[in-house]
Amino acid sequence: MQIKEALKIHFGYDEFRTGQEEIIRGILSGRDALGIMPTGGGKSLCYQLPAILLENMTIVISPLISLMKDQVDSLNEVGIPATFINSTLDNNDLVNRIEEIKNNKYKIIYVAPERLGSSIFLNLMNSIEVSLVAIDEAHCISQWGHDFRPSYVEIPRFINSLNKKPLVAAFTATATKEVVKEIKQIINLSNPIEIITGFDRPNLIYSVVKPSNKFNYLIDYLENIPRESSGIIYCSTRKTVESLTKKLNEKKFSAIGYHGGMSSEDRQYNQDDFILDKTKIIIATNAFGMGINKPDVRYVIHYNMPKNMESYYQEAGRAGRDGEQSECILMYSPSDIVNQKFIIQSETLSPEREKLMYENLQYLVDFCHTNECLRNDILKYFGEELKEDNCGSCGNCLDEGEMIDITIESQKILSCIYRADQRYGAGTIIQTLRGSKNKNILTYGLDRISTYGIMKEYSEGSIREIIMTLVSKGYLGITTDRFPILKLTQKSMDILKGKEKIYHKRELVHRRRIDNKNGENSKIKNTIEEYDEELFALLRDIRFEISKEKELPPFVIFHDITLKQMSSYYPQNKDELLKIKGVGIKKYENYGKNFINAIKDYCQDKNIDIEKVRENINRESNQTNDNYKIDDGSIEIESTYELTYNKYIEGKSLDKIAEERNLTEETVLKHLMKLEEDGKDIDWSSFVSDTEKEKMILEAIKKVGREKLKPIKESLPDDISYLDIKLILIKSKF
């Protein structure tokens, strides 16, 4: 079987993602491999597909039990025999599993690193032939990485103990250049093919917010996103997890907690509820999430700042693994720094390790205070070359807040640090500038320096914000230890001497919201913009019933993006369904007919002209930058949206615009919404002729809410269509 054939049959894809094919071909040609690929970049396929084609078994070393179960379930669903060995198996199950492995029942075996030193497991491995050992989350082997695990040290010894050295492939999403070097050395990869596809996750919108009341901000955010959106909220302590879970439940949000102080049974139960979509919000410490394979997490919120950039990148990266745009919001407050330093101080660390942890924490603090592109700050940390200054899709690049001159304030702060002999931290400097009569200030004699009290009209928070901005921009240094001291840098003199000005964005209250299907307040868009939302909801219901029956997460059946493609193209038979991304032969055999029958019945009930819809899809996809108009000798690109707008300007009705543009009326509505969001004036009242219908629809919306169309439709007479409802929803929005 060729690799492209295996890709389509088992996984339902026609093409590889960046880097996947090179790694797979390298492994199949007999080379070790090292893959540094972002979360959601398709690392698992890089060892799962070779496992199908290699002669003998593949061993996958994975750190978390939950990941093993999800991966094994998914592999068995696509016809790849897989199993796992971990602590969840009782003795009888373990004995049976070992016998099955000896009898070559499986192609892939997942194992926890803690098992590698077990004599039972070692004997088993030397009784079978192993073609490949794949190491997931390989950064855990480095003592200088952010998530070192002692059990990973067993991996080289395990590989060397096998009768015949197998191929070895290591994968991770989070590794600096130093950690990558250490991975290669410790595992002793032999002439590996190395693929580093980059650390950028274009579908993630990163933002940092500094709300005065975190809980109120969180409630406001959750009330303005669809209730069906799945999200993770990270907290730094177990106490905060428990408190926040209780408060959200009191506010009628379906939320569950997860932390290391819970029993393993309770943790597993809560995690399964989240994975299976029984609850939409999980509030957790960093004990949750490594390797969690839920693709449709629409937002990750850090209620508290994590310990370093690597942790933040990995935890935030649990959003949007399906490629759909999702939000990563970091809530910052100065107390978070104090908490993280306390955690560092409570650990038994070597001086070198402690210094590194303080440096890594400081990088994240600087990240929280920069005005520059947040995406670029992340990429710089991992040593990636930047392509542009403005990504156009992070909180800072989207923020159009006013830039204010803070040069004079900066000069006062720098001068105070200089006159205090650069011997104190931010807290003492702030107290001095505000004219505090604190005992320590008087004891140190700081009330006698000329800068004492020169910023007494400023709040402590304002001065601290400016100090941290100066640090993030390199105008101030800060010693990286438990008692950090502010130090002037060479750049400080440019500010003090008035050679350079410094600006900072005026703090605004940001409220970023996830797309709620009606497009309200959205900076986040679906990869597939044009799909039948009612059919999509129907297919989600079918998927959920199948997942309940088979006790599998819904995404193991089909990802959302696959259902959206079905809801866009309306496949009517096997060949058409197999053209949908994510539908392979095995999945078609398992439940393809369920979905085809549902789609056919839906099209018949709604009198959908499938061929016309497909013509529109093809026309829309081909209609890129090929419509031009000439005005005064210049050529302007006329987009498909502008062509719709021109018909609207001519005073044509909705159905007439659709007819002349050969589009559906729903597509025309979406075009007009996009135009309104981009600043065009649309008079939605011109499309509403029946005021009685409008009144009935508004009353129904008031009763059942506006989040889902189906409940609204069911509460109205049959002669009111989904299009009528959408039109009134859009009109009431704008």
Side-chain angles (χ1 to χ4, degrees):
M1 189 187 297
Q2 299 299 312
I3 65 171
K4 285 285 184 77
E5 184 184 358
L7 179 70
K8 182 60 182 174
I9 288 174
H10 291 286
F11 300 97
Y13 300 121
D14 295 310
E15 299 295 334
F16 289 102
R17 296 185 190 178
T18 304
Q20 286 180 328
E21 186 170 1
E22 295 92 324
I23 290 179
I24 291 166
R25 290 193 183 279
I27 292 172
L28 293 175
S29 70
R31 292 179 66 183
D32 288 350
L34 175 63
I36 314 296
M37 307 167 81
T39 301
K43 294 185 293 297
S44 57
L45 185 79
C46 294
Y47 55 79
Q48 290 173 351
L49 196 147
I52 304 167
L53 303 176
L54 290 168
E55 183 179 357
N56 300 307
M57 290 189 197
T58 290
I59 308 300
V60 181
I61 300 169
S62 175
L64 283 189
I65 291 170
S66 59
L67 172 66
M68 293 184 199
K69 186 177 185 308
D70 286 348
Q71 295 273 22
V72 166
D73 286 343
S74 297
L75 288 166
N76 286 319
E77 278 297 301
V78 298
I80 302 170
T83 191
F84 58 79
I85 293 179
N86 60 38
S87 58
T88 64
L89 301 176
D90 61 29
N91 194 54
N92 287 336
D93 286 338
L94 179 60
V95 170
N96 291 336
R97 195 74 46 97
I98 288 172
E99 281 303 309
E100 290 172 342
I101 291 169
K102 285 180 178 178
N103 292 327
N104 294 312
K105 182 177 178 180
Y106 304 107
K107 288 294 287 181
I108 301 178
I109 304 165
Y110 283 79
V111 61
E114 290 78 11
R115 290 268 162 174
L116 300 180
S118 158
S119 57
I120 294 175
F121 184 74
L122 288 172
N123 291 336
L124 172 64
M125 290 298 100
N126 280 307
S127 70
I128 62 174
E129 295 289 330
V130 177
S131 290
L132 171 67
V133 172
I135 304 163
D136 205 6
E137 309 293 350
H139 64 273
C140 294
I141 204 167
S142 170
Q143 295 193 51
W144 302 108
H146 73 290
D147 196 26
F148 171 64
R149 297 190 176 211
S151 57
Y152 265 62
V153 176
E154 292 293 326
I155 293 175
R157 285 197 282 268
F158 163 70
I159 293 170
N160 293 331
S161 73
L162 298 176
N163 292 331
K164 181 182 177 183
K165 188 178 185 298
L167 296 169
V168 181
F171 300 92
T172 182
T174 50
T176 60
K177 289 180 179 178
E178 293 76 18
V179 172
V180 170
K181 182 179 178 182
E182 195 168 19
I183 290 170
K184 288 157 62 177
Q185 288 174 343
I186 295 173
I187 301 176
N188 191 26
L189 296 174
S190 175
N191 184 32
I193 178 169
E194 293 182 43
I195 298 293
I196 300 177
T197 60
F199 295 89
D200 191 16
R201 297 281 306 281
N203 64 310
L204 300 188
I205 295 183
Y206 301 100
S207 60
V208 176
V209 296
K210 301 167 186 174
S212 57
N213 186 307
K214 287 186 177 182
F215 183 70
N216 288 348
Y217 179 94
L218 179 64
I219 292 299
D220 181 63
Y221 179 85
L222 295 175
E223 285 178 343
N224 285 282
I225 61 173
R227 287 284 174 136
E228 66 267 20
S229 299
S230 291
I232 305 171
I233 302 171
Y234 279 108
C235 304
S236 59
T237 66
R238 298 173 183 180
K239 184 178 178 181
T240 309
V241 167
E242 292 171 355
S243 169
L244 190 57
T245 304
K246 181 182 177 184
K247 287 162 74 175
L248 283 183
N249 285 327
E250 288 171 352
K251 292 284 187 180
K252 308 304 181 188
F253 289 99
S254 174
I256 52 175
Y258 186 106
H259 61 69
M262 298 166 63
S263 68
S264 58
E265 292 80 8
D266 286 344
R267 286 201 306 272
Q268 191 63 49
Y269 183 86
N270 284 1
Q271 179 170 289
D272 288 346
D273 270 6
F274 180 65
I275 296 293
L276 294 169
D277 276 347
K278 293 178 181 177
T279 189
K280 294 297 183 180
I281 303 171
I282 191 162
I283 303 165
T285 60
N286 62 3
F288 175 80
M290 180 186 280
I292 292 300
N293 198 30
K294 186 172 172 61
D296 59 345
V297 175
R298 291 280 73 87
Y299 61 91
V300 170
I301 296 174
H302 279 84
Y303 200 74
N304 304 114
M305 192 172 71
K307 60 185 177 180
N308 53 43
M309 178 57 78
E310 287 167 79
S311 297
Y312 174 68
Y313 177 79
Q314 188 171 62
E315 290 162 11
R318 280 150 203 160
R321 289 172 66 110
D322 56 3
E324 295 284 276
Q325 290 194 338
S326 307
E327 288 197 297
C328 307
I329 300 173
L330 197 167
M331 291 188 185
Y332 171 85
S333 70
S335 62
D336 292 336
I337 306 173
V338 176
N339 291 337
Q340 287 299 338
K341 287 185 176 178
F342 176 78
I343 293 170
I344 293 172
Q345 292 159 24
S346 65
E347 297 180 11
T348 304
L349 303 168
S350 67
E352 294 85 2
R353 178 80 177 168
E354 185 175 348
K355 183 174 184 292
L356 178 66
M357 292 187 75
Y358 280 121
E359 288 174 352
N360 289 346
L361 174 61
Q362 187 58 48
Y363 192 95
L364 192 59
V365 174
D366 293 348
F367 173 81
C368 292
H369 289 88
T370 185
N371 293 322
E372 309 303 321
C373 174
L374 295 174
R375 190 179 308 281
N376 282 350
D377 249 31
I378 293 171
L379 300 181
K380 275 191 291 186
Y381 179 84
F382 290 106
E384 190 164 326
E385 188 174 333
L386 307 182
K387 296 176 183 175
E388 52 191 345
D389 293 334
N390 187 313
C391 73
S393 61
C394 75
N396 284 358
C397 294
L398 289 168
D399 186 358
E400 298 177 355
E402 177 190 359
M403 295 293 287
I404 56 173
D405 189 337
I406 57 168
T407 307
I408 293 174
E409 290 86 350
S410 300
Q411 288 172 335
K412 290 176 180 179
I413 291 168
L414 295 173
S415 179
C416 185
I417 294 167
Y418 173 76
R419 294 179 190 286
D421 295 329
Q422 304 182 66
R423 294 172 54 198
Y424 303 100
T428 301
I429 294 300
I430 291 168
Q431 288 179 7
T432 303
L433 288 162
R434 297 187 72 223
S436 169
K437 299 193 184 303
N438 179 288
K439 181 181 176 183
N440 285 339
I441 299 297
L442 303 178
T443 302
Y444 301 151
L446 295 174
D447 59 324
R448 298 194 293 274
I449 64 175
S450 60
T451 51
Y452 177 75
I454 62 170
M455 295 184 74
K456 60 177 61 176
E457 72 276 18
Y458 289 80
S459 69
E460 178 181 341
S462 297
I463 300 174
R464 187 178 296 277
E465 180 68 22
I466 297 171
I467 288 174
M468 299 316 296
T469 300
L470 291 168
V471 172
S472 71
K473 291 179 177 294
Y475 295 107
L476 267 180
I478 185 167
T479 60
T480 52
D481 51 37
R482 63 180 64 190
F483 301 115
I485 306 301
L486 295 173
K487 301 283 187 181
L488 301 182
T489 66
Q490 189 62 42
K491 288 179 70 176
S492 307
M493 302 313 296
D494 293 334
I495 299 292
L496 283 168
K497 293 179 179 179
K499 293 181 179 179
E500 194 170 331
K501 288 187 175 292
I502 184 166
Y503 295 87
H504 185 60
K505 270 184 182 166
R506 187 187 298 279
E507 284 301 314
L508 298 175
V509 178
H510 297 294
R511 193 165 59 198
R512 313 209 187 285
R513 297 170 179 170
I514 289 180
D515 184 20
N516 66 355
K517 295 185 182 179
N518 294 318
E520 295 183 16
N521 304 304
S522 173
K523 287 188 172 64
I524 296 182
K525 302 204 180 299
N526 291 304
T527 305
I528 301 172
E529 292 189 2
E530 307 290 348
Y531 62 93
D532 187 321
E533 294 165 5
E534 187 184 355
L535 176 58
F536 175 64
L538 173 64
L539 299 182
R540 277 175 63 104
D541 290 342
I542 294 171
R543 179 183 66 178
F544 185 70
E545 290 304 316
I546 294 172
S547 73
K548 276 202 307 183
E549 181 185 336
K550 303 191 81 169
E551 296 184 343
L552 293 172
F555 61 80
V556 170
I557 312 302
F558 285 126
H559 284 196
D560 275 1
I561 195 167
T562 301
L563 299 187
K564 286 176 182 175
Q565 286 193 352
M566 292 183 196
S567 305
S568 175
Y569 190 70
Y570 304 101
Q572 301 288 299
N573 53 49
K574 177 181 177 180
D575 289 342
E576 291 180 354
L577 190 66
L578 287 172
K579 291 177 182 177
I580 301 295
K581 182 179 179 181
V583 182
I585 295 292
K586 186 66 177 179
K587 286 197 175 182
Y588 172 79
E589 290 173 353
N590 284 346
Y591 27 71
K593 289 179 182 177
N594 294 26
F595 287 88
I596 286 176
N597 290 338
I599 294 167
K600 288 169 76 172
D601 289 346
Y602 178 86
C603 292
Q604 188 172 353
D605 290 345
K606 302 293 181 183
N607 294 318
I608 292 172
D609 185 340
I610 297 167
E611 293 309 314
K612 183 176 180 181
V613 170
R614 292 177 185 173
E615 284 175 17
N616 290 339
I617 293 170
N618 293 333
R619 186 178 299 105
E620 289 278 305
S621 62
N622 293 329
Q623 198 169 19
T624 53
N625 298 351
D626 56 0
N627 297 293
Y628 299 96
K629 59 182 179 182
I630 299 176
D631 182 19
D632 297 329
S634 63
I635 298 177
E636 298 177 7
I637 296 172
E638 187 174 29
S639 73
T640 183
Y641 297 104
E642 289 170 325
L643 291 170
T644 297
Y645 187 65
N646 289 341
K647 299 288 182 187
Y648 162 74
I649 290 296
E650 292 170 10
K652 295 188 173 165
S653 64
L654 198 63
D655 59 339
K656 195 67 178 173
I657 296 172
E659 181 186 343
E660 293 188 8
R661 293 238 39 229
N662 202 13
L663 301 172
T664 65
E665 289 181 50
E666 286 199 359
T667 299
V668 172
L669 275 182
K670 289 178 180 179
H671 284 191
L672 293 171
M673 281 177 62
K674 174 74 166 56
L675 290 159
E676 173 99 13
E677 288 167 354
D678 289 346
K680 301 283 190 185
D681 289 325
I682 307 293
D683 179 11
W684 297 98
S685 298
S686 64
F687 298 124
V688 180
S689 56
D690 192 329
T691 55
E692 280 303 311
K693 266 190 184 180
E694 179 179 12
K695 185 178 178 182
M696 291 170 68
I697 293 169
L698 288 171
E699 286 177 357
I701 292 169
K702 190 175 180 181
K703 285 180 184 176
V704 303
R706 59 189 298 133
E707 285 77 19
K708 292 186 177 181
L709 293 173
K710 191 174 180 181
I712 302 173
K713 179 75 171 73
E714 289 173 348
S715 66
L716 291 165
D718 291 341
D719 65 325
I720 296 180
S721 68
Y722 276 96
L723 186 68
D724 293 330
I725 297 168
K726 287 180 182 179
L727 182 54
I728 300 306
L729 281 167
I730 294 167
K731 181 190 171 190
S732 66
K733 169 196 166 186
F734 287 114

